[in-house]
Amino acid sequence: MAAATTTTGLETPEPMPSYAQMLQRSWASVLAAARGCGDCGWGLARRGLAEHAHLAAPELLLAALCALGWTALRSVATARLFRPLAKRCHLQPRDAARLPESAWKLLFYLGCWSYCAYLLLGAHYPFFHDPPSVFYAWRSGMAVPWDIATAYLLQGSFYCHSIYATVYMDTWRKDSIVMLVHHVVTLLLIASSYAFRYHNVGLLVFFLHDVSDVQLEFTKLNIYFKARGGAYHRLHGLVANLGCLSFCFCWFWFRLYWFPLKVLYVTCHCSLQSVPDIPYYFFFNTLLLLLTVMNVYWFLYIVAFAAKVLTGQMRELEDLREYDALEAQTAEPCKAEKPLRNGLMKDKLF
């Protein structure tokens, strides 16, 4: 328990375990917690919620208002910035219809990831280099630092907006159902980790996930721009190919290698070392494991996509979330941007 008093991160960080050690220690801790939980059930859950959850109504209202703000801001940016850009660059109708979605997500994820990177790598938080320290000073109802609370407000409100946008604004794809589940699970994790003051873990999760989203949307934009104006642009094609390779590597490294070692190991094993009676242990770890399963699910699609490119089944790099040629040809444009396709077709006719 002496380690639980560490707050500055100046001590020597605990060495990161190997994958085998992570699995062994985490599984042993989960089993020990399950065997020692003689009072587990709805009664304990209700008591834990009443004693440890701290989420005020004004905070929920602020998040809801920010979600509405994201939706309004996206609509304005689409009408005033993204559509005119697509028209000015003479993108293909299908690419022009998809550009607003990718450009919007790129701006958000780039801004949020840069902010989280600053907090973890440039500020005084040691959580990336010393993940177990996320629980060293934990206590129920502790104050959330304003800079981390800002990251939570941005992310929580954006995922509220994203649930609506996936259904009513974005292009509907073959993995959109999984994307909806992902948004719901993420929103549950954001809200509950803030309420139970596991915000240090949440900051790590933001950092490890958003970087691949930045590369995904940047690569998709270069795919759209490489065939603009009826000509092939080699620079955008090269950047798209390099971006695809970088995206695949970062997805594996950040979400499938670092995420289990820096987050799952800490929440399953180290949390019990610092806070033996940590509330909602199984609830949070179940959600994090579900997030890991979805990361593996999408990685299998990424591998299948890369195999098609390498074996020549796909000659040109298409939208990274359209995994077969038939779907790429028949995919509907973004619901919020359908008028754009009609406008571009009129421009071509006249």
Side-chain angles (χ1 to χ4, degrees):
M1 291 299 294
T5 62
T6 302
T7 59
T8 64
L10 298 177
E11 291 78 1
T12 302
E14 178 180 326
M16 193 165 64
S18 66
Y19 239 78
Q21 291 173 329
M22 182 270 293
L23 291 173
Q24 180 183 10
R25 294 173 188 174
S26 298
W27 180 245
S29 295
V30 170
L31 288 180
R35 286 194 295 265
C37 189
D39 191 28
C40 289
W42 288 111
L44 179 62
R46 286 194 298 269
R47 290 196 305 272
L49 194 64
E51 295 174 5
H52 301 290
H54 299 82
L55 188 60
E59 293 172 320
L60 291 174
L61 178 60
L62 180 60
L65 290 175
C66 288
L68 293 175
W70 286 124
T71 304
L73 183 60
R74 173 173 173 173
S75 298
V76 172
T78 296
R80 300 296 180 88
L81 180 61
F82 302 142
R83 285 180 183 172
L85 177 63
K87 186 175 181 179
R88 181 176 300 177
C89 294
H90 305 288
L91 297 187
Q92 299 295 324
R94 185 190 68 187
D95 297 335
R98 293 172 176 172
L99 179 139
E101 177 187 343
S102 291
W104 167 254
K105 291 180 179 179
L106 174 64
L107 291 176
F108 173 81
Y109 286 122
L110 179 60
C112 280
W113 182 79
S114 299
Y115 180 63
C116 292
Y118 163 73
L119 293 181
L120 286 172
L121 304 178
H124 57 282
Y125 296 112
F127 311 135
F128 180 77
H129 300 291
D130 186 18
S133 65
V134 299
F135 288 110
Y136 286 172
W138 182 90
R139 64 183 183 278
S140 179
M142 63 187 294
V144 180
W146 70 267
D147 45 8
I148 297 182
T150 300
Y152 261 77
L153 177 61
L154 293 173
Q155 294 275 358
S157 60
F158 184 80
Y159 276 100
C160 285
H161 153 77
S162 295
I163 292 174
Y164 170 84
T166 300
V167 178
Y168 296 107
M169 301 179 74
D170 296 346
T171 300
W172 190 261
R173 299 176 173 91
K174 68 192 302 182
D175 67 340
S176 290
I177 295 295
V178 181
M179 185 64 71
L180 271 176
V181 175
H182 168 270
H183 291 342
V184 171
V185 170
T186 302
L187 190 58
L188 279 174
L189 275 170
I190 291 173
S192 54
S193 63
Y194 181 87
F196 285 92
R197 299 307 191 248
Y198 301 146
H199 46 273
N200 296 338
V201 181
L203 186 63
L204 264 180
V205 175
F206 296 153
F207 174 76
L208 294 175
H209 280 73
D210 285 354
V211 61
S212 54
D213 289 315
V214 171
Q215 299 195 38
L216 171 64
E217 303 305 336
F218 179 72
T219 301
K220 287 164 65 176
L221 286 176
N222 278 278
I223 292 173
Y224 304 155
F225 276 97
K226 72 178 181 180
R228 59 188 172 90
Y232 182 80
H233 296 265
R234 291 180 178 272
L235 178 60
H236 288 294
L238 176 62
V239 173
N241 291 332
L242 294 176
C244 181
L245 293 175
S246 177
F247 164 71
C248 294
F249 173 78
C250 281
W251 187 284
F252 172 80
W253 194 261
F254 280 78
R255 295 194 179 204
L256 300 183
Y257 179 70
W258 268 347
F259 179 71
L261 289 178
K262 291 182 177 291
V263 174
L264 291 180
Y265 173 72
V266 167
T267 58
C268 290
H269 175 69
C270 299
S271 61
L272 295 176
Q273 310 300 311
S274 298
V275 189
D277 297 322
I278 191 165
Y280 274 65
Y281 171 84
F282 294 104
F283 173 77
F284 282 106
N285 281 298
T286 299
L287 290 180
L288 289 171
L289 286 172
L290 182 56
L291 190 60
T292 306
V293 169
M294 287 186 284
N295 286 338
V296 173
Y297 169 84
W298 274 310
F299 186 69
L300 294 177
Y301 270 121
I302 294 170
V303 171
F305 175 86
K308 286 185 178 181
V309 174
L310 293 175
T311 58
Q313 299 179 44
M314 183 181 294
R315 293 184 179 181
E316 290 292 334
L317 192 59
E318 297 288 346
D319 188 333
L320 296 184
R321 283 183 61 203
E322 303 295 348
Y323 302 106
D324 55 73
L326 178 61
E327 184 178 19
Q329 293 170 4
T330 60
E332 287 294 321
C334 302
K335 300 176 183 66
E337 287 86 32
K338 280 185 178 180
L340 177 59
R341 169 173 284 188
N342 297 330
L344 288 172
M345 291 304 295
K346 289 179 181 178
D347 290 342
K348 293 186 71 176
L349 289 173
F350 296 100

